[in-house]
Amino acid sequence: MWWGGRGQSFNIAPQKAEPDMGLSGPKSVQRTGMLESRSCQLGSHLASGCLPGEQILAWAPGVRKGLEPELPGTLICTNLRVTFQPCGWQRSQETPLSSEYDFVLVNIGRLEAVSGLSRVQLLRPGSPLKFTPEEILIHGRDFRLLRVAFEAGGLEPQAFQVTMAIVRARAQSSQAQQYAGISLSKAGQSSGPRKPPIPLLETSEDWETERKKQGAGSWRVSPVNERFDVATSLPHYFWVPKRTLDSEVRRAFGHFHQGRGPRLSWHHPGGSDLLRCGGFYTASDPNKEDIRAVESMLQAGHSDVVLVDTVDELPSLTDVQLAHLKLRALCLPDSSAAEEKWLSALEGTRWLDYVRSCLRKASDISVLVTSRVRSVVLQERGDRDFNGLLSSLVQLLSAPEARTLLGFQSLVQREWVAAGHPFLTRLGVTGASEEAPVFLLFLDCVWQLLQQFPAEFEFSEFFLLALHDSARVPDTLTFLRDTPWERGKQSGQFNSYTQIYTAGYSQLPAGNSVNPQLSVWDWDLRYSSEQILQFHNPGYDPEHCPDSWLPRQQPNFMVSGPPSSVWLFSRGALTPLNQLCPWRDSPSLLAVSSRWLPRPAISSESLADQEWGLPSHWGACPLPPGLLLPGYLGPQIRLWRRCYLRGRPEVQGNSIPLDIQLLKL
């Protein structure tokens, strides 16, 4: 399979082979001359179509093992990646970044050297290699495995050199805490500016177009953060109620964590609004005008308001990271878990439990949005992780246009990239302690929906795999920064804007310039036309396109709530509140909605039961148009085998009993 990742073409200089110290005479000279000749031929072969910024550090001939058939070729280490070049294979000039044989240095999770049957050394940055390896195993953080056996017959020094080069390059990459990216010559040679495949939401025009597309007539585009002086983690522009002044927005946002006040995430065509915001900042002391402004933005013109405790019933960031590490260790080819206990070990990782929790929470919020005309507010302290995950899932469950290929890409751009999800920190590229692959958890949830509703999605599993791997190989600014401010600063969009302090802000890492015209959505620069065709789901039903969706008027299944009703949604239950803002009764109340009132017991019924009185799985009763409610019980949540078991080709190939067991997941 080619869905292994993306790489970069490179400049290559001939590597001079070390002389064979164990031999002398004509044979040694002849072997050295043959190696130099082979190095020159290799450099000449790869030089055509190469891109600037990459240099060869070492190389060695070998055989890629673990896949059928085994491939002879050359293992190459550069200052950016490790790649395996099969004999006779030539990198496409049209897609110079596409290769199933590339491992970017920041994507290497584990490096092992093997000699014989018993000598195995785990190579960490700075550790010396104790023997000349016969094989090297590179485990990707994206669950891939590259296993190369080196040729014998006087080439052992090259095997030693390329292994040590990988160790050193990997250490330098982690010290730099950054993969700077590459300016693509193909994009630079195009005449005129390159038009993004989807709106990148970097201009007010992009936001206004999206607002009109959603039919959010009671909202407007606010430029209050145009200079990033309200919050560096928010985009230049966002949507606020039409009647709210920018001066009120500026003051009100100051009472929320990291300045991330309430703003529109998505407008349901039936009339409901989905908002997201950070936690209330307890150290602030708002006056009556600020409180009124905050309440006005939270209500968004609705009498019925539901505040959702986002993190309630969901894992912590530490839980997500630990579960992902356990899952990756379990899916390694040399996992210590016995075959008969593999499924129980999978359950012990808790990863599928967390996927199940996210889907259930998103389903409940979707019911909140679609059952009544109301304002539904997602509140998370930082507003940069699970708010984005739940908001995205709610739109996928409720809006057919979000399930199209372009619609889904626009959704990720708006709810993750523009909204300031800290990709570098969460994916561990910066080496920070707050690593937690929340975005990858979201992609797993989307894959579950694709399995349960295959005719509802225009994109395929292969597209999700490409996006999954793109997050680990950030060669564009899309996943290359933690905040929109950092992204704009690196691309040179502004030079004189005032920098403000924001809690959790990370300093800009140094790096080479990146072409600001490029985004991760420029798939044609990394994948061939044949590969991009596989992004489309052949089972997609065109009748599920947005044209057949809900009208812009309020449908008859949505009813207005009681006047001035305020609810807290926590632990699967709705609890009435007396006020929206916590400052009214006591300034000592913490800035998390779930702390306002004692938590009710977790409801055994789904919110669908409470809202409509329908059975948990709706039975024969019709769903509201366009709404999907996934199953999340037991075997309904499955293991994403094509992603997580890529390093175990014997499992992918249906050749061992374990695979039969996994089919039940």
Side-chain angles (χ1 to χ4, degrees), residues 81-243:
R81 64 180 173 144
V82 178
T83 185
F84 181 78
Q85 172 86 54
C87 293
W89 179 83
Q90 185 172 5
R91 191 179 301 271
S92 171
Q93 299 297 312
E94 296 182 356
T95 56
L97 298 185
S98 177
S99 172
E100 60 180 311
Y101 306 110
D102 297 328
F103 273 72
V104 174
L105 294 174
V106 297
N107 187 36
I108 298 177
R110 184 176 174 184
L111 181 64
E112 294 177 314
V114 180
S115 178
L117 299 177
S118 59
R119 301 185 69 183
V120 179
Q121 182 181 353
L122 179 62
L123 299 175
R124 297 183 175 90
S127 61
L129 183 57
K130 300 177 181 179
F131 52 82
T132 299
E134 297 178 7
E135 290 186 9
I136 185 172
L137 283 76
I138 302 175
H139 301 273
R141 296 161 63 88
D142 57 2
F143 296 88
R144 289 187 300 137
L145 170 67
L146 177 61
R147 177 185 174 192
V148 177
F150 297 109
E151 296 179 0
L155 298 179
E156 292 85 354
Q158 285 183 285
F160 188 94
Q161 291 167 7
V162 73
T163 303
M164 287 307 302
I166 296 173
V167 173
R168 289 190 294 266
R170 184 186 175 200
Q172 294 172 359
S173 175
S174 61
Q175 292 170 2
Q177 296 184 347
Q178 187 58 53
Y179 175 59
I182 291 180
S183 296
L184 299 182
S185 58
K186 180 178 179 181
Q189 294 172 359
S190 60
S191 57
R194 180 180 177 86
K195 184 179 179 180
I198 63 169
L200 300 182
L201 299 176
E202 295 174 347
T203 66
S204 59
E205 291 77 14
D206 287 347
W207 285 93
E208 179 63 17
T209 300
E210 182 64 22
R211 185 194 66 82
K212 292 180 178 179
K213 182 180 177 181
Q214 293 190 13
S218 60
W219 297 82
R220 67 176 179 88
V221 179
S222 173
V224 69
N225 197 43
E226 202 167 29
R227 297 172 64 88
F228 291 108
D229 52 355
V230 172
T232 56
S233 63
L234 286 178
H236 290 285
Y237 311 97
F238 43 77
W239 298 311
V240 298
K242 181 175 288 187
R243 296 184 179 181

Side-chain angles (χ1 to χ4, degrees), residues 16 32 84 211 247 252 276 292 300 343 376 382 394 525 589:
K16 185 174 181 179
T32 301
F84 181 78
R211 185 194 66 82
S247 58
R276 57 185 291 186
R292 281 198 296 266
L343 293 180
V376 180
V394 168
L525 295 178
L589 289 172

